[in-house]
Amino acid sequence: MAKVKQDEAQGLAEGLGLDEMEQLDDSEFDLPEVMATPSLESILNEPDDDSFNLDEQNLDIFQDASGETASLVSLESLASDKPLVPKKKAHIQYASHGSILRHVVLKGVSAQVMSAADRVDAGMPTAMAVSHLIAVGTSHGLILVFDPKQVLKWCLGSTAVGAQYGAVSALSINHDCTRLLSGFAKGQITMWDLTAGKLLRTITDAHPPGTAVLHIKFTDDPTLAVCCDSGGSVFELSFKRLMGMRTCESRCLFSGARGEVTAIEPLLSTDSVQDHPMKEVSLLAMASLSKMLIVSLKPHLKVLFAHPLKGEPTTLPVLAWQFVMIQISDTTRIVDPVIAFGRGNKLFFFQVSYQEDEIKFSALQKMELQYVIIAVTWVNSRTLVLVDAHEKVHVLDVRTEEELEVIDISDVQLVYASSFFKSLATGGNVSKALALAGERACYNSVVSFSNQLLYLGTKSIHVMTIRTWMERIDLLVKQNKYIEALAMAESFYMGRARAVVGLHGGSEKRTQIIADKMLDLLLTYVDVSMTTQCPASGKIEVLVEHYQTVVPVCVDYCLLLGRRNATLMKDILFGGIYDRFCQDPIARGVFLECLEPYILNDNLRSVTPQVMKDFMEHYQHKGLLQNIEACIVHMDVANLDVHQVVVMCWLHGLYDALIYIYNKGMQDYITPLEELLRVLQSAIKSSKQLTDDQIKLGNKLLVYISCCLAGRAYPLGDIPPTLVDTVKSEVFKCVTTLHTKDASEGEQTYPYLRTLLQFDTREFLNVLALAFEEPEFNTEDGMRQRQRIVDILLQVMVESVGFTPTQVGCLFTFLARQMARHENSILVNRLLFEQVLEFLASPEDDSRHEERQQALLELLNAGGLQQVDEEKLLSLAENARFYRVCELMYEKRRDFDKILACYLRDAARRQQVFSFIHTVMTAYGYSNEERNAVHREAMTQLEDLVSINSKKTAQLVITDFSHSLTEIVSKLDPQPVVLYDFLQGMFDSKEQMMKDPVSTEPSVTEKYIDLMCKYNPQGVMAFLKNNDTYRLEETLQICRKHKSLEATAYLLEKAGDVQGAFNIMKETLVNKVKALSQLMLSDSSNTPTQDSQTQVAVSSVQTILLVIIQILQRNSGKMKEEEREALWFPLMEVMLAPQRKHRDSLSQEQIQAYKDLTRHVLNSMMGYIALPAILQKIMQDPAYNTGKFGEIRELLLGMLDTYNYEQTLLKTTNSLLSHDLHWSLCNLKAAVNKGLVPRQEDCGVCGQHFSTTEEQDSVIVFSCGHAYHTSCLQSVGGCHMIQGTPNWKCSLCNVARREAKTGRGRTLSWSSASTASKQVEPILSGAVSHPRSDDDTRLSPQQELSYAQFQKSFRGPSRMAILAELKRATKYESSGKPQDQKKIFSSSSSILQNENFQLKVAAPPVIE
């Protein structure tokens, strides 16, 4: 019997782990009975899919008319004939985890449940229980029991019983699948024998009548069960059999009066934890809307644990038990039950342990999610599955709280038990809180068994099983996602994967199983990439891009597997995979090129000889020799064909690779050095310019020597410790060898050392300096070795020829530094330093001047000339023009004035003299005497400073020298050009600085204007406009003296003589027009040269004309009509005269040029001269009063267009002002007409009630709300007579306003006992009150009157006055009479003619 049950359980577990979610066609519902349900084998052979997708013909099984999830309350809506609309589902899969849950449908069970609803009126499914069998309760009281093959085994109950008991609301199957408990909506409970299909018990008194059974659960004890009803009470059911009679005893565990329990969950042991101590204690978890309790049922009832629960009123608590292996130490693990409970979006985890005959609870963790939970189930000890309120399934890893997958199950149409929680079958006698929270109750619709999840839908039953690790990989392979499949396999291999199922054995065994799977998958991926997934056609670039994606994947995973077995990696990567890629030449080349980054990153150091040979041949064929060299130095020499590599390196000059092969492969550090030094020696002896490759060779040798002497390998790594001393000794011996092995008779001594010194003296000496810092040179042998090298250097460079002064200077600088660092350990004849000094500072030698100076500077800074007399050294430096050396010497002596002279004499650093002077004059660390000396020297060399940069010189004088500009101007006066440059720099500097740090005297400015008129007359006008530090009369005389007509006119205009300015510019214009006319008359050949001259002359006339027009426009507003006509008409006459005089001699184009100039004048004067006067002047002119109308048509139309535009602009402005004024007056009228309400009913001065006001007295109320007797307000100075009109002011507000302006921060009030104001205690803390008289708090009447008159004198015209003036002007214009139109401009009293008139068009303030 146990074997049969075990087989049934195994069959159900397999039957629920299906591969595909499909639905029955609609036609299947028309069958009278289900004769052939699908078998397990047929289901397992169906193709797998990643998601739960439905086709349109099956959608009606899963969705109701609205597409919403149905509840039992709305089951009648399922019969609707409305069309079904597919709903987009929101599945979320994370690439690192893939598809974890497999979602399938039990088609056989679903079809039979729906068939039962149709054939026997079983009703819709309402509850479900799963063990080794599947039991489904219906709304009409029937229970359908199915075996693991989805075959209907029992149909328990009848519709007649269902009509009496109501719908099945809860189900439970015991551990051995022999008993079934069912609870009903009307409160009855039945027990069934599942082996015979018989009813064993009907329990009607287990709990209070009139309440629905919400939960019923078997415990580990087959004779003990618990139930929960809609009243929130929990009862223990004890089943007994006495004298052949089956009885049931009920005990109340928790009363709903203390809080309604909505969820219960007993702790059930599993086969793997049969011997756990918790099995002797029957634990029950209960959750209400406010707390979670755990009680023990055996051996006696006891509350063990309580935890508060909080959440929204619409949420229910959730409970789930699971036995979990917990690591308590490095070597100890225990298996304890863990309870997961929560409400809303919070979830808590507590461990339950049995210690010392006591049950203890330990908090493990807390989750706060982004969604509301309605169901929680465990699928294994590390994985939790949640269902949220939007019917989305969330797979979570418990330890990391990472979300692994999200599946939308809204198409399932989950069954909700809301009708049971509302107890509708018994009249709805439940609390409002329980009814509201039960809207999303699905405790009996989401069931777990054997790590599988079952969901009860309104028309189907769904199963979700967790895929094994291999199924998750195979699913991606079926979808041709090989890269994702490899990544998934890697996560299993590295132990990063979550929700892992199906891996058994020890760590090594599991790793090997995954590695074998990865290897098979990788080989399959290579085959597929070369066949089905390879682009069939296209450009070569497409194939290259394809292989560039494939090859790195292969290399990465081979390297990953090679961490445990390097030989296997090489056999796979460079065996089967490389051979497969070699079948395609393009793939072979891409494979070899993709190896390069792995080699350079030291991820791939071992390559088979054949692949390395192909690699080098491929790169050599493509000319990528430098890439080969870079890769060789990262490879293991044992895998290289040394002969092939050495030959190629010598042939192509791959010196890094050559050195690496000799060093690593042969442990030879001297042979490559000698051979490469010979190559460099030959290049230097050729007396030709070294090529880039030869320079690179020399630099490589210097770096190689430096690395060897420091104990480091070249180019990477370190020399083996056992070889360090030997390598250093041999390298020094090689460099300082007296002769080479195959020396010729004429070979110089120390050829290698000489070669390195001639190549780069400074860098080679730096290499030696670094080597001398090594510890071995601190010993006696080391000091002798160092002295020997110094002696050789002196012998080679000083006692022979062929070295430049710079090279010799570098040597002695090196020696000076070494002597200072290693005192008394290096011996050098001091006379040699003096000889070098005289050699470097020889005045007869002008060659390599800067080079010799730099060498001397370095030698001086190194302390090599300490024994030389400073005067002698300074003399030699001055004679040799070594100004930087002189500067260094002067700086030590703090002769900063002489340093300034050095800057001026040094052509390369003359521009730096200004920053030097500024530093001395402003920085700290300089005395006044030193600053004065620099000041005197700068003033002496002022001419040179100006010649260098006049602007910086002027800025220096302004900012750093407190010297009179007049004195400097007087000093430079004999040299006008220098003075002009200085002044120009001064004024330009002031413009850039945007400030005037020193006041410029007018005489200085006038001197600059005088010089500018002489040297830069074009800039005079711009300077006069932008500067105002000159005197008008003196400057006018200067401009007249130099005949600067435009500047003279500007000054005359500025002085108020507009007529004089006009006459000067008019004279210039007449001359320009005359010259233009002569040029036009002489222009008979129309050559390009003459045309360009004519255009230049026309442009010149336009420029002068524009200046005159601007002068007249600036001043016409200040003149009377006659004065304006006296200026504008002569200007127009100047332009009309040539047209009258030469009308018959000029061409049409030339006449048109004059007419364009005339039109410009007319358009400019229309705003200042009446239009009839202009037209009359034009029509009287002979140039326009004859001929056809077409000749002057454009001129007249242009004038009329301008007139119409200005008239429209005036009307628009008038209209805007009218609207603005009307709006403002309306607001003012509304404010005035608004009733005023006093703040209080007594006077603000005397304090008496207004009802006692005498008849001759009146009450005045202000808009602020204060009210006074008029007599009282007059007594405190609140009324002032202005031009015979009383002007009233609120006394309180007036005094407070003045207080605020004085900033005293006090508040004044009035006493009701006196008519005089007095000071009261301040409101603000910290203010001090002082008594004072009334005169201190307000102005006297005389002062108020004076202030009002002062305001009136500065008040502009009112808006009404402006509108009246504009209206009058509009009336004159509309009359059409010339004399009326002339009045518009002739009235001097018009406010529009006032030069200070400004039109303010801002909106008036809003009056509340």
Side-chain angles (χ1 to χ4, degrees):
M1 183 65 182
K3 178 65 176 175
V4 173
K5 292 180 180 178
Q6 185 177 2
D7 294 341
E8 290 178 352
Q10 182 67 24
L12 177 61
E14 294 176 355
L16 298 182
L18 305 179
D19 290 337
E20 178 69 16
M21 179 178 181
E22 293 187 355
Q23 303 297 333
L24 294 175
D25 295 336
D26 291 357
S27 59
E28 195 165 345
F29 287 96
D30 297 331
L31 297 175
E33 59 181 329
V34 180
M35 300 299 295
T37 57
S39 64
L40 173 63
E41 291 74 18
S42 64
I43 295 175
L44 291 176
N45 290 329
E46 292 177 352
D48 196 1
D49 194 4
D50 181 33
S51 60
F52 170 36
N53 296 322
L54 306 174
D55 51 19
E56 293 184 1
Q57 64 180 357
N58 296 329
L59 279 177
D60 57 339
I61 300 177
F62 297 93
Q63 289 185 335
D64 60 3
S66 62
E68 297 291 339
T69 302
S71 66
L72 294 180
V73 185
S74 59
L75 290 178
E76 60 274 9
S77 65
L78 296 175
S80 173
D81 294 329
K82 295 180 181 179
L84 301 176
V85 180
K87 183 170 59 178
K88 186 177 181 181
K89 302 171 67 177
H91 296 327
I92 301 177
Q93 289 185 6
Y94 299 96
S96 57
H97 304 296
S99 177
I100 297 175
L101 292 181
R102 178 170 49 193
H103 186 184
V104 298
V105 177
L106 297 180
K107 295 189 292 184
V109 175
S110 302
Q112 293 179 82
V113 170
M114 298 308 297
S115 295
D118 292 340
R119 295 184 60 194
V120 298
D121 194 22
M124 303 303 293
T126 57
M128 178 175 60
V130 178
S131 181
H132 302 305
L133 301 173
I134 301 176
V136 179
T138 67
S139 60
H140 290 175
L142 271 68
I143 302 171
L144 306 177
V145 182
F146 300 88
D147 66 6
K149 300 293 185 180
Q150 302 189 55
V151 176
L152 180 63
K153 186 174 182 179
W154 306 109
C155 180
L156 307 178
S158 64
T159 55
V161 175
Q164 181 182 356
Y165 293 172
V168 177
S169 58
L171 292 172
S172 178
I173 303 175
N174 66 352
H175 181 68
D176 57 1
C177 286
T178 59
R179 297 291 185 266
L180 171 68
L181 279 175
S182 59
F184 292 85
K186 294 183 180 180
Q188 292 82 358
I189 298 174
T190 60
M191 177 182 284
W192 298 87
D193 182 359
L194 293 180
T195 59
K198 294 181 179 180
L199 177 65
L200 301 180
R201 290 182 177 90
T202 298
I203 307 170
T204 59
D205 56 354
H207 62 96
T211 56
V213 178
L214 300 182
H215 302 276
I216 189 163
K217 303 282 186 180
F218 271 110
T219 65
D220 282 335
D221 187 350
T223 65
L224 193 65
V226 290
C227 70
C228 175
D229 61 15
S230 58
S233 299
V234 180
F235 297 88
E236 178 188 74
L237 305 179
S238 180
F239 305 110
K240 297 180 180 181
R241 186 171 183 177
L242 298 175
M243 304 295 294
M245 297 294 294
R246 302 179 188 272
T247 63
C248 176
E249 295 181 359
S250 174
R251 180 173 62 158
C252 181
L253 302 179
F254 188 90
S255 173
R258 300 170 56 187
E260 296 162 314
V261 172
T262 59
I264 60 173
E265 194 68 42
L267 174 61
L268 302 177
S269 60
T270 61
D271 296 336
S272 60
V273 289
Q274 288 294 330
D275 298 331
H276 197 277
M278 286 295 177
K279 188 174 182 181
E280 302 299 328
V281 182
S282 182
L283 297 184
L284 174 66
M286 303 181 294
S288 68
L289 297 177
S290 60
K291 66 176 60 178
M292 193 279 293
L293 300 174
I294 296 180
V295 300
S296 63
L297 303 180
K298 295 189 308 182
H300 54 270
L301 181 64
K302 182 181 179 181
V303 178
L304 303 176
F305 178 75
H307 193 281
L309 290 177
K310 295 181 180 180
E312 295 294 329
T314 57
T315 60
L316 284 174
V318 291
L319 298 169
W321 287 97
Q322 176 69 23
F323 281 90
V324 178
M325 183 176 294
I326 300 175
Q327 186 91 26
I328 60 175
S329 66
D330 294 339
T331 58
T332 306
R333 296 180 180 180
I334 61 172
V335 177
D336 275 339
V338 172
I339 179 69
F341 63 93
R343 186 182 177 200
N345 65 335
K346 294 182 177 61
L347 205 59
F348 303 90
F349 296 85
F350 277 78
Q351 174 190 355
V352 184
S353 57
Y354 193 84
Q355 301 175 6
E356 300 176 356
D357 298 333
E358 184 181 357
I359 298 177
K360 295 183 179 180
F361 294 83
S362 304
L364 297 178
Q365 67 187 97
K366 173 185 175 182
M367 290 185 186
E368 191 162 349
L369 307 170
Q370 302 298 321
Y371 42 84
V372 175
I373 310 168
I374 62 173
V376 56
T377 51
W378 295 82
V379 291
N380 58 36
S381 60
R382 290 194 57 175
T383 309
L384 203 65
V385 176
L386 309 176
V387 181
D388 65 15
H390 296 287
E391 297 188 357
K392 289 184 174 61
V393 175
H394 301 261
V395 184
L396 298 181
D397 183 75
V398 177
R399 295 184 184 178
T400 62
E401 301 184 16
E402 181 182 2
E403 187 174 74
L404 308 181
E405 187 178 13
V406 180
I407 301 177
D408 188 351
I409 61 169
S410 57
D411 289 336
V412 173
Q413 293 190 4
L414 201 63
V415 171
Y416 291 110
S418 57
S419 63
F420 306 140
F421 274 75
K422 296 177 182 179
S423 194
L424 298 180
T426 59
N429 52 343
V430 298
S431 67
K432 293 182 179 180
L434 184 62
L436 178 61
E439 287 291 343
R440 289 283 180 176
C442 56
Y443 295 112
N444 293 291
S445 302
V446 180
V447 184
S448 65
F449 176 74
S450 186
N451 299 332
Q452 303 181 39
L453 306 177
L454 285 85
Y455 298 93
L456 179 63
T458 56
K459 295 184 180 181
S460 56
I461 298 176
H462 299 248
V463 182
M464 286 188 180
T465 59
I466 187 168
R467 288 186 170 93
T468 65
W469 70 276
M470 190 170 294
E471 289 174 343
R472 288 161 67 179
I473 295 175
D474 292 340
L475 178 61
L476 294 173
V477 172
K478 290 180 181 179
Q479 297 171 348
N480 289 326
K481 297 179 179 179
Y482 287 93
I483 296 179
E484 292 82 355
L486 286 168
M488 175 70 67
E490 179 192 3
S491 67
F492 291 120
Y493 186 80
M494 301 302 295
R496 299 192 306 267
R498 303 284 183 258
V500 181
V501 175
L503 273 177
H504 305 288
S507 176
E508 292 294 332
K509 181 180 178 181
R510 294 197 302 268
T511 303
Q512 186 59 45
I513 293 173
I514 300 171
D516 294 341
K517 179 64 177 179
M518 288 182 65
L519 186 57
D520 294 340
L521 183 60
L522 187 61
L523 294 176
T524 305
Y525 173 62
V526 173
D527 291 336
V528 171
S529 300
M530 296 290 293
T531 55
T532 57
Q533 291 187 358
C534 183
S537 60
K539 298 182 179 179
I540 297 179
E541 291 80 1
V542 177
L543 283 174
V544 171
E545 184 177 355
H546 169 69
Y547 291 127
Q548 285 176 346
T549 304
V550 175
V551 174
V553 175
C554 300
V555 178
D556 286 334
Y557 289 106
C558 285
L559 292 176
L560 176 64
L561 297 175
R563 296 177 185 176
R564 295 178 178 269
N565 192 337
T567 303
L568 176 64
M569 182 272 295
K570 292 179 61 176
D571 293 342
I572 298 301
L573 180 61
F574 302 120
I577 294 178
Y578 180 63
D579 294 341
R580 188 71 176 87
F581 280 113
C582 286
Q583 297 176 7
D584 186 344
I586 298 177
R588 175 179 176 274
V590 173
F591 181 90
L592 295 173
E593 292 173 10
C594 288
L595 297 180
E596 180 183 351
Y598 296 95
I599 296 174
L600 296 179
N601 293 330
D602 291 330
N603 293 326
L604 188 63
R605 295 183 59 85
S606 179
V607 180
T608 60
Q610 181 61 40
V611 173
M612 192 63 197
K613 178 183 178 182
D614 295 344
F615 177 81
M616 295 177 62
E617 290 177 353
H618 176 74
Y619 271 68
Q620 189 174 357
H621 176 71
K622 298 188 70 173
L624 303 175
L625 299 174
Q626 298 300 323
N627 301 65
I628 296 178
E629 182 180 31
C631 291
I632 289 176
V633 299
H634 289 270
M635 297 296 299
D636 187 359
V637 180
N639 297 311
L640 300 176
D641 186 343
V642 175
H643 176 72
Q644 177 194 10
V645 174
V646 170
V647 170
M648 183 184 66
C649 291
W650 277 115
L651 181 63
H652 300 287
L654 307 181
Y655 301 121
D656 282 351
L658 186 67
I659 294 173
Y660 179 79
I661 295 298
Y662 273 99
N663 292 169
K664 296 293 184 180
M666 309 176 190
Q667 300 295 317
D668 186 355
Y669 291 83
I670 304 304
T671 300
L673 178 60
E674 292 177 342
E675 296 295 334
L676 295 178
L677 281 173
R678 289 194 186 98
V679 175
L680 182 62
Q681 185 179 18
S682 301
I684 294 176
K685 285 183 177 180
S686 64
S687 300
K688 296 181 181 179
Q689 183 71 26
L690 295 180
T691 63
D692 292 340
D693 292 337
Q694 292 169 345
I695 294 175
K696 289 180 181 180
L697 171 61
N699 292 329
K700 290 179 186 292
L701 285 173
L702 291 176
V703 176
Y704 176 65
I705 294 171
S706 178
C707 290
C708 291
L709 296 180
R712 297 190 302 273
Y714 179 85
L716 304 168
D718 294 315
I719 299 174
T722 57
L723 298 177
V724 172
D725 294 337
T726 304
V727 171
K728 290 183 178 181
S729 175
E730 290 180 353
V731 169
F732 265 118
K733 184 177 179 181
C734 175
V735 172
T736 58
T737 182
L738 184 62
H739 288 288
T740 60
K741 296 178 181 179
D742 302 327
S744 60
E745 296 182 357
E747 183 183 70
Q748 292 179 315
T749 57
Y750 306 107
Y752 295 151
L753 183 64
R754 193 181 299 274
T755 298
L756 293 172
L757 288 170
Q758 288 176 344
F759 171 72
D760 195 330
T761 305
R762 188 188 306 277
E763 293 302 326
F764 177 67
L765 293 177
N766 289 336
V767 171
L768 292 179
L770 291 175
F772 287 168
E773 299 297 327
E774 294 296 317
E776 56 267 17
F777 280 97
N778 294 327
T779 62
E780 292 184 3
D781 293 338
M783 288 188 289
R784 284 196 294 270
Q785 178 75 356
R786 182 165 54 207
Q787 183 63 47
R788 176 175 175 270
I789 294 174
V790 170
D791 294 339
I792 293 174
L793 290 173
L794 291 172
Q795 178 183 350
V796 170
M797 297 190 67
V798 178
E799 299 178 6
S800 61
V801 296
F803 292 94
T804 64
T806 300
Q807 293 173 322
V808 175
C810 289
L811 172 63
F812 280 90
T813 301
F814 165 76
L815 294 177
R817 290 173 178 169
Q818 293 301 315
M819 291 170 66
R821 183 179 295 273
H822 308 283
E823 296 181 0
N824 301 323
S825 62
I826 297 179
L827 301 177
V828 179
N829 190 352
R830 291 288 180 176
L831 294 177
L832 291 176
F833 284 94
E834 296 186 6
Q835 293 176 5
V836 170
L837 172 61
E838 294 178 356
F839 167 71
L840 293 175
S842 175
E844 289 82 9
D845 188 6
D846 292 334
S847 62
R848 298 179 176 178
H849 178 271
E850 186 60 30
E851 184 179 339
R852 290 186 291 114
Q853 181 176 206
Q854 184 64 31
L856 185 56
L857 270 175
E858 293 182 0
L859 185 59
L860 187 61
N861 289 327
L865 301 177
Q866 294 179 355
Q867 75 281 4
V868 181
D869 182 61
E870 288 187 2
E871 294 295 335
K872 178 182 178 182
L873 178 59
L874 186 59
S875 176
L876 289 173
E878 289 178 347
N879 293 333
R881 301 186 305 282
F882 289 169
Y883 297 116
R884 285 192 290 161
V885 177
C886 294
E887 178 185 351
L888 184 61
M889 301 296 295
Y890 286 137
E891 187 174 3
K892 292 181 180 179
R893 298 163 57 174
R894 301 190 69 83
D895 291 338
F896 297 105
D897 53 335
K898 295 182 179 180
I899 294 178
L900 190 150
C902 291
Y903 272 104
L904 292 175
R905 284 183 283 174
D906 192 349
R909 299 192 303 157
R910 287 168 65 87
Q911 292 291 339
Q912 302 176 17
V913 66
F914 302 101
S915 60
F916 168 75
I917 296 175
H918 179 71
T919 301
V920 174
M921 298 302 295
T922 58
Y924 293 105
Y926 299 94
S927 64
N928 292 332
E929 295 181 358
E930 293 167 351
R931 289 192 175 98
N932 293 334
V934 172
H935 184 192
R936 289 192 298 271
E937 183 67 22
M939 297 305 298
T940 303
Q941 304 293 341
L942 188 60
E943 297 180 11
D944 290 341
L945 293 175
V946 174
S947 63
I948 295 172
N949 192 320
S950 61
K951 186 179 296 185
K952 289 185 177 181
T953 303
Q955 186 175 356
L956 193 67
V957 171
I958 293 172
T959 57
D960 297 332
F961 295 163
S962 58
H963 214 280
S964 174
L965 291 177
T966 306
E967 181 180 348
I968 297 176
V969 171
S970 301
K971 182 177 180 180
L972 297 177
D973 191 58
Q975 300 176 345
V977 177
V978 177
L979 177 59
Y980 172 71
D981 291 339
F982 170 76
L983 293 175
Q984 184 181 28
M986 184 188 70
F987 284 102
D988 290 346
S989 175
K990 288 167 62 177
E991 290 177 3
Q992 289 184 356
M993 294 169 62
M994 299 299 293
K995 60 181 180 179
D996 189 1
V998 295
S999 58
T1000 305
E1001 298 181 7
S1003 59
V1004 176
T1005 307
E1006 293 158 7
K1007 183 65 177 179
Y1008 177 57
I1009 295 173
D1010 189 8
L1011 294 173
M1012 186 184 293
C1013 290
K1014 182 177 180 180
Y1015 297 110
N1016 185 21
Q1018 293 81 8
V1020 175
M1021 187 65 182
F1023 179 79
L1024 291 176
K1025 290 181 178 180
N1026 298 327
N1027 198 292
D1028 57 355
T1029 59
Y1030 53 84
R1031 293 171 294 185
L1032 198 57
E1033 294 297 331
E1034 287 75 2
T1035 307
L1036 188 58
Q1037 293 178 5
I1038 293 172
C1039 293
R1040 284 174 173 170
K1041 180 180 69 173
H1042 292 283
K1043 297 182 179 180
S1044 180
L1045 299 179
E1046 187 175 353
T1048 303
Y1050 173 76
L1051 294 174
L1052 288 173
E1053 180 189 0
K1054 193 172 183 180
D1057 188 1
V1058 181
Q1059 186 67 45
F1062 173 74
N1063 292 335
I1064 291 176
M1065 296 307 298
K1066 175 186 172 184
E1067 182 180 355
T1068 304
L1069 178 63
V1070 170
N1071 294 332
K1072 293 286 185 180
V1073 170
K1074 184 177 180 181
L1076 176 61
S1077 300
Q1078 293 176 356
L1079 184 61
M1080 288 182 174
L1081 291 173
S1082 61
D1083 186 10
S1084 57
S1085 57
N1086 292 329
T1087 61
T1089 303
Q1090 291 178 338
D1091 290 342
S1092 62
Q1093 291 177 354
T1094 303
Q1095 293 178 359
V1096 170
V1098 172
S1099 299
S1100 178
V1101 172
Q1102 288 176 342
T1103 303
I1104 299 298
L1105 186 61
L1106 180 61
V1107 173
I1108 297 175
I1109 290 174
Q1110 291 176 349
I1111 293 174
L1112 296 182
Q1113 287 178 339
R1114 284 195 298 267
N1115 296 277
S1116 292
K1118 307 174 186 178
M1119 301 179 181
K1120 297 181 181 180
E1121 181 69 20
E1122 295 80 5
E1123 295 174 347
R1124 291 198 295 270
E1125 292 180 354
L1127 296 176
W1128 284 102
F1129 284 143
L1131 177 62
M1132 187 174 64
E1133 178 63 25
V1134 172
M1135 303 311 303
L1136 292 175
Q1139 301 179 52
R1140 290 196 302 267
K1141 184 176 181 181
H1142 305 294
R1143 181 173 54 184
D1144 299 331
S1145 303
L1146 298 178
S1147 63
Q1148 189 65 31
E1149 292 79 5
Q1150 294 171 339
I1151 292 294
Q1152 187 62 37
Y1154 276 113
K1155 288 186 176 181
D1156 292 339
L1157 295 174
T1158 306
R1159 184 183 298 108
H1160 181 55
V1161 174
L1162 293 173
N1163 290 334
S1164 301
M1165 66 187 296
M1166 283 181 60
Y1168 307 97
I1169 305 297
L1171 182 61
I1174 299 175
L1175 292 175
Q1176 183 179 5
K1177 184 69 175 177
I1178 293 175
M1179 299 307 296
Q1180 291 177 355
D1181 192 273
Y1184 293 96
N1185 61 3
T1186 59
K1188 299 179 181 179
F1189 174 73
E1191 297 178 358
I1192 61 172
R1193 178 176 179 272
E1194 295 182 1
L1195 180 63
L1196 295 178
L1197 290 179
M1199 294 172 61
L1200 293 175
D1201 289 341
T1202 303
Y1203 175 78
N1204 290 332
Y1205 167 74
E1206 293 180 353
Q1207 185 182 35
T1208 303
L1209 183 63
L1210 183 61
K1211 290 181 178 180
T1212 304
T1213 305
N1214 191 10
S1215 176
L1216 290 175
L1217 287 173
S1218 299
H1219 285 292
D1220 181 49
L1221 181 60
H1222 179 265
W1223 174 73
S1224 179
L1225 291 176
C1226 287
N1227 287 340
L1228 290 174
K1229 180 182 177 183
V1232 171
N1233 292 337
K1234 183 179 180 181
L1236 300 179
V1237 180
R1239 296 182 180 181
Q1240 53 191 12
E1241 297 180 358
D1242 50 5
C1243 178
V1245 176
C1246 67
Q1248 296 181 3
H1249 200 277
F1250 291 130
S1251 60
T1252 62
T1253 304
E1254 299 179 0
E1255 294 183 0
Q1256 66 274 13
D1257 201 356
S1258 59
V1259 177
I1260 182 169
V1261 182
F1262 292 94
S1263 60
C1264 60
H1266 295 137
Y1268 310 92
H1269 292 114
T1270 54
S1271 58
C1272 296
L1273 190 59
Q1274 288 178 349
S1275 66
V1276 295
C1279 178
H1280 309 297
M1281 300 298 294
I1282 299 178
Q1283 296 181 355
T1285 303
N1287 185 16
W1288 297 93
K1289 290 186 178 180
C1290 177
S1291 183
L1292 287 174
C1293 296
N1294 195 29
V1295 173
R1297 191 179 300 112
R1298 288 201 299 269
E1299 266 314 297
K1301 291 182 179 179
T1302 58
R1304 298 181 183 181
R1306 297 184 176 89
T1307 301
L1308 296 176
S1309 65
W1310 297 95
S1311 172
S1312 61
S1314 175
T1315 58
S1317 63
K1318 66 178 183 178
Q1319 185 72 24
V1320 297
E1321 287 297 322
I1323 292 177
L1324 298 177
S1325 61
V1328 181
S1329 176
H1330 298 281
R1332 52 200 173 98
S1333 62
D1334 293 348
D1335 294 338
D1336 294 332
T1337 60
R1338 62 181 183 273
L1339 299 176
S1340 65
Q1342 292 78 10
Q1343 291 173 331
E1344 293 278 3
L1345 180 60
S1346 300
Y1347 179 69
Q1349 292 177 349
F1350 176 78
Q1351 283 184 319
K1352 184 177 179 181
S1353 62
F1354 283 92
R1355 186 180 300 145
S1358 65
R1359 298 191 179 196
M1360 189 62 71
I1362 296 174
L1363 292 177
E1365 187 69 28
L1366 291 173
K1367 191 67 176 177
R1368 183 163 60 89
T1370 306
K1371 180 181 68 174
Y1372 288 150
E1373 289 180 1
S1374 60
S1375 65
K1377 300 178 181 180
Q1379 60 272 19
D1380 289 340
Q1381 295 181 5
K1382 190 174 181 180
K1383 291 179 182 179
I1384 301 175
F1385 303 95
S1386 62
S1387 177
S1388 59
S1389 62
S1390 173
I1391 60 174
L1392 301 179
Q1393 303 302 321
N1394 188 354
E1395 63 178 313
N1396 297 323
F1397 170 71
Q1398 294 182 352
L1399 183 59
K1400 301 177 182 179
V1401 294
V1406 178
I1407 300 175
E1408 298 181 356

